[in-house]
Amino acid sequence: MQSDSTHLLPNGKNRRLGFFSGIPVLFFLFFSGQGCIPYLYHLGKEQAKILLQRKAISEVLADPEIPETTKSKLKEVEKIREFGIQELALSPEGGFKSFVQLDRPAIGWHVSACHPLRFESYTWWFPIAGTVPYKGYFSLEKAKEEEQSLKKQGFDTRIRITAGYSTLGWFEDPLFSSQLYEDPGDLASIVIHEMAHATVYFPGDSLFNESYASFVEDEGSDEYVLKIGGPKLLAERKKSEEETKLYKNLIIETANLLKAAYSEGGTEDLLLKKKTEIIGDFRKKILQTKWAKINSKKLSERDWNNEDFIGMLRYNSGTPYFRKRFLEVGKDFSKFHEEMRKLKEKTIEERKVLLEEK
């Protein structure tokens, strides 16, 4: 099982693909969600460790033992956080005022699963967060055990690294050592995405929550890069992301083809045949495309399944809708967030319809 993110891209590019599962709430030790006490104990214990290990960024910056490279990134995060509050109207409850040095390569890992012949995610329910299409762990081994259980039930599965982390304002969420990206635009992306979750969040509606946060992330990080480096730096960043965007769009295109095929219905054999053909064509397109940095051979040989494709839609749906509403309020982030909050009165299905607008 891959212990890195879902898609095999060069280092530094994976987090730009839009699989930012924040695993919104990891502290339900005293709740009975899913009726799994060992799991809740695991989350509660690790969440407690995070609360005990976090140090105020100001304290870390004053520590002579901390490398200057780390301090430089933490100072950048402080700037991004202030920019998010002042310029993007993001909630100050979004955290990033403290730092945690991890003893592992990632914050955690989360398992997602999908029906093999339908775009229907397997879901879990937790208090406050509601129904979510992923289950997070601070241990890769425990995530693998969960995945094996789902595979035995016949689901398409995937384990992904947890790049972002949010408790939705219940605790002050720290920055983790695994999030200290070299590129200031990447730092801005992770901070802005998670602050967006603390700004607008609808329990049980992962499709809207993640897509909204991804849109704010994209728009906000561009604004930040423009502020610190001007049009030239922003243009350079856009150019460096062209290949990643092409790859991402190829996945979304294939996801929509699979979605349409499943919607047409048919026997299991027919649906399996369509699925195999569509994913086969996707593999061919990967091999036929000229990539500068992407390992097309490795990607074409991987075991692609429904969860890979629905996962991309989960974090990248509704862009035309969000952009339209953003433009309608004159690109005013405060007004945009307020318009999004008004959607609280709508059902999950009604919000889903909005995200399908072209």
Side-chain angles (χ1 to χ4, degrees):
M1 169 54 58
Q2 300 284 340
S3 62
D4 56 358
S5 60
T6 303
H7 301 290
L8 311 178
L9 289 175
N11 289 337
K13 300 294 184 183
N14 281 314
R15 62 135 306 280
R16 296 188 192 179
L17 266 178
F19 283 96
F20 254 116
S21 181
I23 307 185
V25 186
L26 294 172
F27 51 85
F28 293 125
L29 179 60
F30 303 108
F31 293 95
S32 58
Q34 304 299 305
C36 185
I37 299 303
Y39 173 66
L40 297 176
Y41 174 74
H42 166 70
L43 296 189
K45 182 181 70 172
E46 295 300 326
Q47 176 66 38
K49 281 185 182 179
I50 288 173
L51 294 176
L52 292 172
Q53 291 174 357
R54 64 183 181 176
K55 293 182 179 180
I57 288 181
S58 58
E59 181 183 342
V60 179
L61 292 175
D63 188 341
E65 299 298 318
I66 301 298
E68 286 302 315
T69 52
T70 298
K71 289 183 179 180
S72 176
K73 292 173 186 174
L74 292 177
K75 289 176 183 177
E76 191 76 43
V77 168
E78 288 188 315
K79 293 178 183 177
I80 295 166
R81 182 178 184 277
E82 189 62 23
F83 178 84
I85 295 170
Q86 298 299 327
E87 304 295 329
L88 308 180
L90 295 173
S91 172
E93 302 301 319
F96 297 102
K97 293 185 288 185
S98 59
F99 177 68
V100 171
Q101 178 64 50
L102 295 171
D103 58 1
R104 53 184 182 270
I107 301 171
W109 296 262
H110 58 283
V111 185
S112 298
C114 181
H115 190 285
L117 296 176
R118 292 197 299 271
F119 263 16
E120 181 181 294
S121 295
Y122 185 94
T123 60
W124 292 265
W125 181 87
F126 297 102
I128 303 173
T131 301
V132 293
Y134 41 70
K135 188 174 183 180
Y137 291 88
F138 290 104
S139 161
L140 179 57
E141 291 306 311
K142 289 183 182 296
K144 287 180 177 179
E145 290 174 8
E146 180 74 28
E147 184 191 38
Q148 287 304 312
S149 174
L150 291 163
K151 280 187 173 181
K152 288 179 181 178
Q153 297 175 57
F155 290 99
D156 282 359
T157 65
R158 189 63 65 201
I159 291 178
R160 299 184 178 99
I161 276 180
T162 303
Y165 172 94
S166 171
T167 57
L168 308 179
W170 280 75
F171 294 111
E172 188 277 306
D173 298 323
L175 181 80
F176 294 86
S177 54
S178 62
Q179 298 172 318
L180 292 178
Y181 304 119
E182 293 293 335
D183 187 289
D186 288 350
L187 268 178
S189 290
I190 189 74
V191 172
I192 291 169
H193 185 103
E194 298 309 325
M195 289 182 74
H197 280 315
T199 305
V200 177
Y201 185 88
F202 301 131
D205 195 349
S206 294
L207 179 66
F208 183 91
N209 295 332
E210 296 300 347
S211 295
Y212 155 79
S214 292
F215 178 80
V216 175
E217 168 203 338
D218 289 342
E219 294 293 326
S221 59
D222 280 355
E223 288 290 324
Y224 183 74
V225 170
L226 182 63
K227 179 179 180 179
I228 64 172
K232 183 178 179 181
L233 183 61
L234 180 58
E236 289 174 356
R237 178 174 170 81
K238 290 290 189 181
K239 185 175 181 180
S240 72
E241 292 181 333
E242 286 177 0
E243 188 165 285
T244 303
K245 185 177 180 180
L246 175 62
Y247 175 51
K248 179 169 140 179
N249 287 340
L250 184 55
I251 297 172
I252 292 174
E253 174 188 307
T254 305
N256 286 323
L257 289 174
L258 287 167
K259 184 178 179 181
Y262 299 142
S263 296
E264 290 174 0
T267 65
E268 286 192 7
D269 287 343
L270 177 60
L271 292 177
L272 182 58
K273 182 174 181 291
K274 288 182 178 180
K275 176 183 180 181
T276 303
E277 290 175 348
I278 292 171
I279 294 180
D281 288 341
F282 169 71
R283 295 178 195 275
K284 290 177 184 176
K285 288 179 181 178
I286 289 177
L287 286 172
Q288 292 168 355
T289 304
K290 292 183 179 181
W291 307 100
K293 300 178 182 179
I294 291 176
N295 188 331
S296 58
K297 185 175 184 298
K298 193 170 185 179
L299 279 171
S300 67
E301 292 173 349
R302 70 169 292 137
D303 180 25
W304 292 90
N305 64 50
N306 277 357
E307 177 51 38
D308 293 317
F309 297 101
I310 196 173
M312 181 60 77
L313 293 181
R314 186 180 300 136
Y315 288 78
N316 295 276
S317 293
T319 301
Y321 168 74
F322 290 124
R323 187 167 304 284
K324 177 183 176 183
R325 299 310 306 274
F326 189 52
L327 292 174
E328 285 176 349
V329 296
K331 294 186 176 182
D332 183 314
F333 280 95
S334 180
K335 292 179 180 178
F336 175 69
H337 301 319
E338 188 57 38
E339 288 301 309
M340 295 302 102
R341 292 190 191 98
K342 292 178 182 178
L343 300 180
K344 180 180 181 180
E345 304 304 318
K346 293 185 177 295
T347 66
I348 291 176
E349 283 303 314
E350 287 173 335
R351 287 193 290 267
K352 183 178 179 181
V353 170
L354 291 177
L355 298 188
E356 292 172 350
E357 289 183 5
K358 300 299 182 183

